[in-house]
Amino acid sequence: MHPYRTHNCAELRQDHIDDTVKISGWIHRKRDHGGVLFIDLRDTHGLTQCVVDEGSPLLAEVEKIRPESVITVTGKVRLRPGETQNATMPTGEVELYIDEIEVQGAAEVIPFQVAEDDGAGEEIRLKYRYLDLRREKMQKNIRLRNDVITSLRERMKGQGFQEFQTPILTASSPEGARDFLVPSRLNPGKFYALPQAPQQFKQLLMMSGFDKYFQIAPCFRDEDSRADRSPGEFYQLDMEMSFVTQDDVFNVIEPVMRGIFEEFGGDRTIHSDFVKIPYLESMMKYGSDKPDLRNPLEIVDVTEVFARDDVEFKAFKGTIEKGGVVRAIRAPNVGDQPRSFFDKLNSWAQGEGAPGLGYVLFKDGEGAGPIAKFIPAAAQEELKKISGAEDGDAVFFICNQELAAAKFAGAAREAICNAFPEGHVAAREQGEFKFCWIVDFPMFEMDEETGKMEFSHNPFSMPQGGMDALENQDPLDILAWQYDIVCNGIELSSGAIRNHKPEIMEKAFDMAGYDKQVLEDKFGGMLNAMKFGAPPHGGIAPGIDRIVMILADEPNIREVIVFPMNGNAQDLMMKAPSTASAEQLKELNIKLDLPKAKVKSEAA
RNA sequence: GCGGGCGUAGCUCAGCUGGUUAGAGCGCCGCCCUGUCACGGCGGAGGUCGCGAGUUCGAGUCUCGUCGCUCGCGCCA
């Protein structure tokens, strides 16, 4: 007989009755009745009830073994008597009568409960992640993650993509997020950077003649965390292909996404259309470049109404005179909402730093609410016309400079939708995945603080119109072959048709204020490669953690990562990051120059 | 870097307007219990109320500072 097990903890059935079997696992629960004692033995597959029968010499020993200890038990499978069968357990018809028991790994008293969700906080869960991972929900999430990744691989391979591995120690790049740096011992004073994405490598693979690349790629970015952004590192389904247009990339990735969400989405439905929304339209209608299309509210521009001479709302007029805009959101059928509905939204807006959230409620044929008196009837009619509002609807207003107004209107659109009671006509749709492509991103944007022109997204994107556009269009009007894919308000990925022409590359970087020397220094490898025959190519890189997070219906991305860091990019279990020894630093030619406050807290 | 929330037993939390010995559930320890499956019963241990200052006759409770966690903004494919 095998030393540890003949079956796993989910296998035993009536077929096994009278067999002598051996199973191993963790003690999930113990129920001690004095004479007879039950153990639910757990492994990753399931649970099996084991019995220490009355009069067994093992009783005293077993009573002392704590929950979460690992044991191996040997004994005979027996049918459970009549009404003691448990229909809620797959193995509930039978039980194992223990003849022998061996403790493989004793457990001390555990800091939180594994067998049930006792609400333990994240800090302690991360410190004892291996205990947390034993819990049913985490096992399920991680299994889902594994299944998703397997399926992604198969779907990509099925479309003829080859899987690659690219370097982890590589060069820093000036665009994008902050890099993680790794000092080089062999090259004093020099540093590797961890890749923010294998961007250049995958493009170089295209230039190397591989047609279709993909990788389950680790990416490293030294940026602050969010609920949907794991600090430090995350994984992408990174892909790139040659001789393609934007539509070709969409046609490859849409069936992958649709397939994954159908396969693992349970009873949630996927909208068949992956709607394409130009960036500018998305910012106007949804106030965001990652709109949640389950929210039916739309934003409209009503600047002209508030600019009318007969409208006397000074707060908005002043902003309009300084070039600002007024955006409006129609909230349907809120005539019967209590005053608190509007007050809560107003205090939400104030909490966001706005003066408030003005509105007009159209009720009984006239406009009501705090600012209605500044808007004469004719102008109110105009507002109704533009926003589509009818009697019983309210229209909320946001006034600011264009970008700020768009962003705040986007936030207000979400806040208003969230404020609707359950079952409201405009409440967020449930049980759906609504995808969209955001396309036609601007190539450049103006940094509001410095007034300098910058790449608005990826500097390697091909400008629409190529060299001609760069030379002859207003830079701020140039669009890029740059796209994002969004699901339920979460940005899953962005991608682009890349710039594969060195002269366009040089021109674009020049326009973004990069010296030719910088381009040489930082992207010399790829720029050179472009001069030796580069195919047109493009790709995309959907975030795997986010996909799994949506599929698992988890509000926090750390719930689908085995060993995540906390919000401050610390691994509480492994105690990373940690200090380096004097020897290590010396070897790397590094001297520390720490801020005073840090030194103090370190000492304390 | 900024703003909101939280910090009380191993875990999750209660503790009203400041007032005697800070509570509950789970867990833990002991005893009892022959069929449970969140087993049950009786008893018990366990607290720097994050830390530091202040106000007060008196602070878990009020004030200020500080640290930690978390959510959001900034930042960021």
Side-chain angles (χ1 to χ4, degrees):
Chain A
M1 196 178 255
H2 189 275
Y4 303 123
R5 60 184 173 192
T6 58
H7 298 77
N8 69 42
C9 290
E11 269 188 294
L12 299 177
R13 295 290 186 279
Q14 292 210 34
D15 298 350
H16 301 95
I17 285 168
D18 288 338
D19 290 356
T20 295
V21 301
K22 183 176 282 193
I23 59 178
S24 288
W26 286 261
I27 296 180
H28 189 66
R29 281 205 175 86
K30 256 183 359 184
R31 289 176 295 280
D32 186 353
H33 290 255
V36 64
L37 183 151
F38 301 99
I39 292 173
D40 290 337
L41 198 63
R42 183 195 72 234
D43 64 15
T44 192
H45 305 96
L47 290 172
T48 298
Q49 174 163 286
C50 306
V51 187
V52 179
D53 201 10
E54 59 175 307
S56 167
L58 295 171
L59 190 62
E61 183 192 344
V62 172
E63 275 177 337
K64 284 188 206 128
I65 310 173
R66 289 207 180 86
E68 292 308 312
S69 297
V70 174
I71 59 173
T72 298
V73 294
T74 313
K76 211 167 243 186
V77 181
R78 297 200 193 165
L79 184 69
R80 292 207 208 175
E83 57 289 4
T84 71
Q85 292 193 5
N86 187 341
T88 64
M89 281 172 84
T91 61
E93 293 172 339
V94 298
E95 56 197 354
L96 187 153
Y97 272 67
I98 300 176
D99 291 326
E100 281 174 51
I101 184 163
E102 186 178 356
V103 177
Q104 305 289 3
E108 293 180 4
V109 174
I110 49 179
F112 54 83
Q113 295 316 109
V114 170
E116 62 195 271
D117 181 3
D118 63 357
E122 198 172 23
E123 201 171 353
I124 195 157
R125 288 177 54 210
L126 290 180
K127 183 173 175 189
Y128 301 95
R129 188 60 158 182
Y130 38 86
L131 292 180
D132 188 36
L133 288 169
R134 288 179 196 171
R135 306 216 266 196
E136 193 180 357
K137 190 190 81 166
M138 293 306 292
Q139 291 265 323
K140 191 166 156 243
N141 284 358
I142 299 310
R143 189 178 298 280
L144 171 68
R145 184 189 175 100
N146 177 69
D147 292 346
V148 166
I149 289 175
T150 301
S151 182
L152 286 172
R153 274 208 167 91
E154 280 167 5
R155 288 167 193 279
M156 294 306 288
K157 287 180 176 167
Q159 293 199 65
F161 285 79
Q162 279 179 279
E163 188 169 6
F164 288 78
Q165 295 75 45
T166 51
I168 301 298
L169 295 174
T170 179
S172 176
S173 72
E175 99 304 337
R178 262 185 297 270
D179 287 314
F180 282 103
L181 294 178
V182 180
S184 168
R185 175 183 58 82
L186 292 173
N187 303 276
K190 294 190 174 169
F191 294 83
Y192 303 97
L194 306 183
Q196 296 183 24
Q199 181 65 35
Q200 291 189 68
F201 289 114
K202 71 174 176 177
Q203 292 193 236
L204 286 160
L205 284 167
M206 294 301 102
M207 297 168 199
S208 308
F210 295 100
D211 217 71
K212 292 177 168 180
Y213 148 97
F214 88 98
Q215 176 174 199
I216 309 296
C219 304
F220 305 89
R221 292 176 195 163
D222 185 6
E223 292 300 330
D224 290 351
S225 72
R226 290 286 184 278
D228 65 352
R229 197 159 83 206
S230 151
E233 52 190 79
F234 61 96
Y235 283 81
Q236 293 180 334
L237 170 65
D238 195 37
M239 67 84 92
E240 195 80 5
M241 48 201 300
S242 289
F243 306 113
V244 290
T245 64
Q246 179 170 291
D247 281 338
D248 293 324
V249 176
F250 290 3
N251 289 337
V252 164
I253 215 71
E254 274 186 27
V256 173
M257 293 309 224
R258 192 196 311 278
I260 288 286
F261 278 76
E262 274 170 2
E263 185 178 356
F264 300 105
D267 50 12
R268 288 165 290 182
T269 53
I270 304 174
H271 270 242
S272 50
D273 286 349
F274 283 43
V275 204
K276 295 185 185 77
I277 308 171
Y279 170 81
L280 286 175
E281 182 188 328
S282 185
M283 291 306 286
M284 179 64 236
K285 267 168 85 171
Y286 307 109
S288 166
D289 59 1
K290 43 178 181 177
D292 186 349
L293 298 181
R294 297 172 305 167
N295 173 348
L297 304 181
E298 292 187 1
I299 302 162
V300 292
D301 188 277
V302 293
T303 311
E304 57 177 73
V305 178
F306 281 87
R308 286 164 61 123
D309 289 339
D310 60 348
V311 175
E312 292 170 28
F313 195 48
K314 287 199 185 109
F316 284 10
K317 275 224 144 75
T319 305
I320 293 170
E321 276 159 24
K322 284 184 224 146
V325 297
V326 185
R327 295 286 155 84
I329 302 170
R330 170 193 165 222
N333 195 26
V334 291
D336 54 354
Q337 288 300 315
R339 176 64 191 258
S340 64
F341 174 83
F342 298 95
D343 289 346
K344 275 182 198 159
L345 283 166
N346 197 59
S347 37
W348 165 82
Q350 287 171 343
E352 297 289 305
L357 190 61
Y359 66 92
V360 172
L361 173 61
F362 296 106
K363 202 174 180 181
D364 307 322
E366 54 183 352
I371 68 172
K373 59 177 177 286
F374 300 107
I375 309 167
Q380 288 190 12
E381 280 310 308
E382 194 69 12
L383 284 176
K384 286 168 87 167
K385 212 173 106 193
I386 297 173
S387 67
E390 294 166 8
D391 211 55
D393 298 353
V395 177
F396 290 88
F397 303 105
I398 292 96
C399 179
N400 208 327
Q401 298 302 308
E402 184 164 354
L403 182 63
K407 281 188 183 172
F408 191 61
R413 175 178 171 269
E414 285 295 300
I416 294 165
C417 188
N418 290 339
F420 291 136
E422 208 171 322
H424 184 273
V425 61
R428 194 184 310 272
E429 294 170 57
Q430 299 297 317
E432 309 229 21
F433 296 121
K434 286 198 151 177
F435 284 89
C436 60
W437 290 103
I438 306 298
V439 298
D440 297 339
F441 277 85
M443 183 81 191
F444 301 102
E445 64 188 10
M446 195 68 88
D447 187 303
E448 281 178 9
E449 279 170 29
T450 62
K452 276 171 65 180
M453 189 101 70
E454 289 185 335
F455 289 114
S456 64
H457 266 62
N458 188 316
F460 306 124
S461 303
M462 180 69 99
Q464 294 185 23
M467 191 60 129
D468 183 55
L470 294 185
E471 283 175 339
N472 299 314
Q473 281 185 37
D474 178 341
L476 293 175
D477 288 341
I478 300 173
L479 302 178
W481 291 115
Q482 167 82 43
Y483 37 83
D484 281 5
I485 189 168
V486 174
C487 175
N488 291 0
I490 295 181
E491 182 194 320
L492 290 183
S493 172
S494 47
I497 298 300
R498 318 297 173 187
N499 186 345
H500 69 286
K501 292 184 182 292
E503 63 278 11
I504 300 183
M505 188 87 158
E506 279 166 21
K507 176 72 179 167
F509 271 77
D510 177 54
M511 291 169 72
Y514 288 98
D515 201 77
K516 197 172 171 181
Q517 195 57 46
V518 176
L519 185 59
E520 253 340 298
D521 286 350
K522 295 296 180 185
F523 306 109
M526 196 167 74
L527 197 63
N528 258 334
M530 284 183 185
K531 295 174 183 167
F532 292 101
H537 61 283
I540 193 165
I544 289 173
D545 313 84
R546 280 189 185 169
I547 290 173
V548 178
M549 172 184 160
I550 296 173
L551 288 170
D553 203 20
E554 288 286 357
N556 191 304
I557 203 162
R558 295 185 290 272
E559 300 298 320
V560 298
I561 298 173
V562 276
F563 297 115
M565 296 197 283
N566 72 0
N568 293 321
Q570 297 159 343
D571 181 335
L572 301 173
M573 183 177 59
M574 304 298 283
K575 297 197 173 75
S578 57
T579 53
S581 70
E583 291 74 22
Q584 288 173 310
L585 290 175
K586 186 153 190 285
E587 207 166 44
L588 295 165
N589 306 288
I590 288 178
K591 269 189 188 141
L592 297 180
D593 180 17
L594 299 172
K596 286 195 177 89
K598 279 286 177 220
V599 177
K600 214 170 100 190
S601 76
E602 195 99 351

